[in-house]
Amino acid sequence: MTDPTKDLSLEEKASLGSGADFWTTKAVGAVPSLMLTDGPHGVRKQTGASDHLGLAGSEAATCFPPAVGLGQCWDTDLIHRVGEALGREARSLDVDVLLGPGVNIKRDPRCGRSFEYFSEDPVVAGVLGAAWVTGVQSVGVGTSLKHFALNNAETDRMRSSSDVDPRPMHEIYLHAFAHIVRTARPWTVMCSYNRINGVYAAENHWLLTELLRETWGFDGAVVSDWGAVRDRVAAVRAGLDLEMPGTGPASDAEVVDAVRAGDLSQDAVDRAAAAVAGLARRVQPGREAAVTADLDDHHRLAREVAARSIVLLKNDTDLLPLTAGTALAVIGEFAQSPRYQGGGSSHVNPTRLDIPLDEIRAQAGAGTVTFAPGFTTDGSGDAATLRNEAVQTAADAEVAVVFLGLGADQESEGFDRDDIEIPWGQLDLVAAIAQVQPRTVVVLSHGGVLRLQPVADAVPAILDGALLGQAGGGAIADVLFGAVNPSGRLTETVPVRVQDCPSYLDFPGENSHVRYGEGIHVGYRGYDARALEVTFPFGHGLSYTDFEYSEMMVASDETGVVVEVTVTNTGERAGREVVQVYLTKTDSRVVRPPRELKGFATSAVLEPAASEKVSIHVARSDIAFWDERRGDWTVEDGAYVVGVGASSRDLRVTDIVDVTGDEQPVPITWQSTLAEALADPAVAAAMADMLPAGASDGGDALGTDIVKVMGSMPLDRLKRFGMASDALDDLLTTD
Ligand code: BGC
């Protein structure tokens, strides 16, 4: 295949590397113009005014559940199907690249953009994000893996530096990106606005070139987040291929001038031009295929996936599912004005919108359904009157279904929340309702995590809808009445108090720096390490049936660990279980959380008494930790505890597996400590005459444990005290 950039001039190559306008690239020579639009949970194609903040209108498109909801299904096949549908809609609207998925880690529940990300856990974010990418790209539409990297807060996002140590950077924050690049091969990656340890992502050669391309093997185009480029020349030098949106001819001229002045290599410009041309080549078959989108079908899929995304947090006395014919009081403004997506660049203009109240009425059978708003989302009306009316309505019914949540103006791209409270007196409202109506179900709508302890203390049943997209109303009714047995699981912990969050003291940072002080202890890793009570743990979600775990088997080989377990439906309704695998290394030489999710799988729908043998492969790369001493991944040798169960705090079966490690001994130098030196048999032998008899066995003649007392002393300091044996001179290197 001939290279379409081969005969282009320097000016033409430079112009390929910046947008023509807000959403398109330039047509240059044989390379056509391409259209990129948001994403991720629907196509936001703007035909009139353009913006990246969700302000101006866009063409109608199916609004699937945003990642906060979608992720709760934990089902890669389902997400792949959503990806295909998104790809078909994008293609039918002549969109070449859909700007998603967002796989940043939900480090702190106050992040305003939590709704656009999958999880606090890197394996969940990586596996689900990969399914989304392969789904969209299977239709011939590109994806843009974003926001690369460490964009975990909105506050000051265009300047702030995410200051993070190497181990959490690799194990927590880069893991999902690496997994998706390696396994799903996204056609583009979007570099984020923020700085990473002081260097802007767009100008970060280590990030965009050494890690992304050279280590992970990325072969697509690096696109800037909209307006993330400050210095185009520095960005191209670092590895950026496409500046978006276009900022006019001056930007291209800077690139040309820099090459002529010897400040920027011709190779860098060639690489960027080739990457954009490569993207056009990848997109071409999709452009030529006659792809259509059946919007009715997509609405049905949106309903299916929304129902699968709902998490049953609590269901005391089996209050749910409701029986048709029950007299219901539906309370809460969200029942008639649903909150179903987040604000900002991902805001989709839905093709239609299911109203929960209507959908409940449609499934309620002969039962009366009354309604009271209970509160307003804009401060209008008299709060006391609204509340009294709602309490009375609830008291008069057999069951109250109360819709609570966050309003659209309380969380969005562009700013973070100050707290995780449920606003507008909704907590007082639900407490008052629970007083008069013990049979109360709460249905939640929100992007970021909420403080739910008062709700959990007040009512017997809670459904967490997060954000469910345009068909959420029907999906909520399906779960309430049992047409769908819930199988969603939390992808984020619900803490008792925001102050318990591991990141609490370091969010959202100050003076344009965020110190990631909690290190690897993000989300459940941190709550578990400090043995904190939580309201609902990571991975939690109930069902209308019960499952038993048995016949666990673990084995390891050079590819990783295989875990098998049999799941049996021991209840009375058909249902689906999400099986989670957690690993623990109790004798690790590095600090580790008590347990870490390493794999998961969703069962098929199991009829009562039916079983399924579920097999989960944990990749060896997921067992490794980032060894800061070597600047590389290391698998520790020995026993690992494997726990399998229904949540991070509900492990049903455990076993132990032996893994062959690949630890490299760290060479002993004059900077090594006495304890490190004595752990190396050769060096210990050379030091035999240095220490009093018995010292290295735990006590000298006086019973002093010299190694314990002096173990942290470096050998070069011992030498200065005249305590180092000459034999060490031959054995040790200096460093
Ligand atoms: C967001 C991106 C989005 C882009 C284009 C930016 O503000 O951070 O996620 O894709 O705008 O709308």
Side-chain angles (χ1 to χ4, degrees):
M1 187 179 300
T2 54
D3 173 5
T5 64
K6 197 163 113 319
D7 299 324
L8 296 183
S9 65
L10 173 60
E11 286 77 1
E12 287 171 319
K13 286 180 178 170
S15 74
L16 260 185
S18 72
D21 54 29
F22 223 83
W23 302 116
T24 64
T25 64
K26 300 183 203 105
V28 179
V31 182
S33 166
L34 306 174
M35 171 169 276
L36 302 80
T37 70
D38 293 301
H41 61 273
V43 182
R44 187 173 72 105
K45 181 178 176 184
Q46 295 185 312
T47 41
S50 299
D51 71 274
H52 60 300
L53 297 172
L55 305 173
S58 54
E59 294 204 12
T62 307
C63 178
F64 289 96
V68 63
L70 184 65
Q72 292 186 162
C73 76
W74 293 58
D75 187 333
T76 50
D77 291 342
L78 191 57
I79 293 179
H80 191 276
R81 282 170 58 208
V82 171
E84 282 171 353
L86 287 166
R88 274 197 300 275
E89 282 192 39
R91 195 61 279 160
S92 67
L93 290 167
D94 293 327
V95 169
D96 300 300
V97 176
L98 198 56
L99 300 175
V103 298
N104 298 86
I105 291 298
K106 303 202 213 201
R107 173 175 175 252
D108 190 291
R110 290 166 290 178
C111 173
R113 216 172 176 182
S114 278
F115 64 85
E116 242 185 285
Y117 302 138
F118 284 106
S119 182
E120 68 186 22
D121 180 84
V123 170
V124 174
V127 170
L128 301 187
W132 193 95
V133 168
T134 51
V136 173
Q137 292 189 172
S138 70
V139 193
V141 169
T143 58
S144 200
L145 183 63
K146 69 189 187 182
H147 306 89
F148 191 53
L150 286 121
N151 178 188
N152 308 100
E154 291 297 285
T155 305
D156 203 12
R157 66 174 169 162
M158 297 186 84
R159 290 188 313 187
S160 186
S161 175
S162 301
D163 298 337
V164 60
D165 291 336
R167 201 172 151 211
M169 167 129 76
H170 288 277
E171 288 183 28
I172 306 289
Y173 295 101
L174 296 176
H175 181 100
F177 289 101
H179 176 80
I180 296 167
V181 166
R182 285 185 160 130
T183 64
R185 302 187 66 202
W187 296 352
T188 80
V189 164
M190 184 191 292
C191 67
S192 56
Y193 287 127
N194 53 288
R195 292 178 290 153
I196 297 153
N197 291 333
V199 183
Y200 278 98
E203 297 171 18
N204 201 316
H205 188 268
W206 171 78
L207 186 75
L208 302 185
T209 298
E210 291 160 50
L211 188 72
L212 179 64
R213 287 201 167 89
E214 293 170 5
T215 308
W216 298 349
F218 177 65
D219 61 359
V222 176
V223 181
S224 73
D225 198 346
W226 266 232
V229 174
R230 272 182 345 145
D231 176 340
R232 169 101 179 271
V233 172
V236 174
R237 193 184 292 126
L240 181 88
D241 300 317
L242 178 61
E243 177 189 22
M244 287 303 288
T247 50
S251 170
D252 297 340
E254 281 164 17
V255 169
V256 171
D257 292 348
V259 173
R260 298 227 160 99
D263 291 338
L264 179 66
S265 72
Q266 175 74 46
D267 284 355
V269 181
D270 289 352
R271 180 217 69 231
V276 177
L279 177 61
R281 196 181 56 243
R282 282 175 146 163
V283 155
Q284 197 53 36
R287 286 184 154 202
E288 287 162 10
V291 177
T292 53
D294 179 339
L295 297 180
D296 292 330
D297 197 38
H298 288 183
H299 187 74
R300 278 190 292 275
L301 176 61
R303 180 166 176 157
E304 179 186 344
V305 68
R308 293 283 309 282
S309 302
I310 292 171
V311 180
L312 178 62
L313 292 177
K314 185 173 178 190
N315 193 22
D316 289 358
T317 64
D318 291 342
L319 178 53
L320 291 175
L322 302 172
T323 319
T326 308
L328 295 180
V330 176
I331 312 288
E333 179 57 30
F334 293 122
Q336 62 177 359
S337 321
R339 172 89 203 292
Y340 60 98
Q341 65 173 326
S345 61
S346 69
H347 201 270
V348 173
N349 174 19
T351 58
R352 64 183 88 160
L353 182 60
D354 284 359
I355 304 300
L357 181 57
D358 298 344
E359 300 295 330
I360 289 172
R361 287 201 161 116
Q363 294 195 38
T368 55
V369 179
T370 50
F371 172 72
F375 55 89
T376 59
T377 57
D378 61 3
S380 61
D382 178 55
T385 311
L386 286 163
R387 185 188 308 167
N388 293 342
E389 180 207 1
V391 171
Q392 192 54 53
T393 308
D396 292 343
E398 290 174 277
V399 172
V401 180
V402 185
F403 284 75
L404 305 179
L406 279 184
D409 55 353
Q410 285 160 327
E411 55 179 346
S412 163
E413 176 178 347
F415 65 90
D416 297 311
R417 287 184 295 162
D418 295 329
D419 55 42
I420 58 170
E421 293 301 310
I422 302 180
W424 312 313
Q426 293 176 75
L427 288 183
D428 292 341
L429 172 71
V430 78
I433 290 173
Q435 290 287 317
V436 298
Q437 180 50 271
R439 288 159 60 81
T440 293
V441 182
V442 163
V443 180
L444 298 164
S445 308
H446 59 103
V449 162
L450 300 170
R451 187 170 71 91
L452 294 180
Q453 196 61 48
V455 182
D457 290 342
V459 302
I462 307 176
L463 283 185
D464 185 4
L467 298 176
L468 293 175
Q470 68 180 43
I476 289 168
D478 289 341
V479 172
L480 282 173
F481 290 99
V484 172
N485 186 351
S487 58
R489 296 300 165 86
L490 291 179
T491 58
E492 217 177 342
T493 310
V494 181
V496 175
R497 321 175 307 153
V498 68
Q499 291 86 347
D500 291 346
C501 298
S503 51
Y504 180 70
L505 295 175
D506 288 317
F507 186 93
E510 59 186 1
N511 301 323
S512 296
H513 281 271
V514 189
R515 170 94 189 110
Y516 284 43
E518 72 285 2
I520 55 169
H521 290 108
V522 178
Y524 67 91
R525 290 167 165 80
Y527 299 108
D528 289 351
R530 289 185 291 156
L532 289 172
E533 285 300 314
V534 298
T535 302
F536 296 109
F538 172 81
H540 171 74
L542 304 174
S543 164
Y544 296 152
T545 188
D546 297 306
F547 294 95
E548 221 171 67
Y549 289 65
S550 62
E551 295 168 16
M552 178 176 178
M553 200 283 297
V554 280
S556 76
D557 62 18
E558 64 291 346
T559 68
V561 169
V562 174
V563 184
E564 273 179 14
V565 72
T566 299
V567 184
T568 305
N569 183 348
T570 55
E572 281 155 23
R573 281 173 176 266
R576 194 189 297 267
E577 178 72 330
V578 178
V579 179
Q580 303 166 37
V581 172
Y582 293 84
L583 251 60
T584 300
K585 180 96 181 103
T586 39
D587 57 351
S588 177
R589 74 166 168 81
V590 291
V591 172
R592 296 205 189 223
R595 69 194 65 85
E596 295 184 279
L597 182 87
K598 295 296 177 184
F600 60 89
T602 16
S603 76
V605 173
L606 297 176
E607 294 298 324
S611 297
E612 180 179 327
K613 183 180 272 189
V614 177
S615 179
I616 295 168
H617 183 252
V618 177
R620 188 172 167 84
S621 55
D622 284 344
I623 301 172
F625 76 97
W626 182 260
D627 193 342
E628 294 194 356
R629 295 193 313 193
R630 298 174 50 223
D632 205 350
W633 294 99
T634 290
V635 175
E636 274 188 298
D637 206 62
Y640 289 74
V641 180
V642 183
V644 184
S647 92
S648 60
R649 293 199 176 180
D650 184 11
L651 300 180
R652 307 282 181 83
V653 281
T654 56
D655 204 345
I656 292 186
V657 66
D658 267 318
V659 173
T660 308
D662 56 12
E663 284 203 271
Q664 304 291 319
V666 177
I668 303 296
T669 69
W670 284 106
Q671 275 67 51
S672 303
T673 64
L674 176 62
E676 288 164 354
L678 290 175
D680 180 314
V683 183
M687 295 176 73
D689 57 349
M690 283 174 49
L691 299 171
S696 53
D697 300 331
D700 65 1
L702 300 174
T704 317
D705 187 339
I706 291 194
V707 174
K708 200 168 180 185
V709 176
M710 294 177 52
S712 64
M713 189 175 271
L715 297 180
D716 61 353
R717 249 54 67 80
L718 282 174
K719 189 177 184 188
R720 287 180 77 84
F721 288 146
M723 289 177 70
S725 139
D726 289 346
L728 282 182
D729 278 326
D730 301 333
L731 211 55
L732 304 188
T733 54
T734 40
D735 57 9

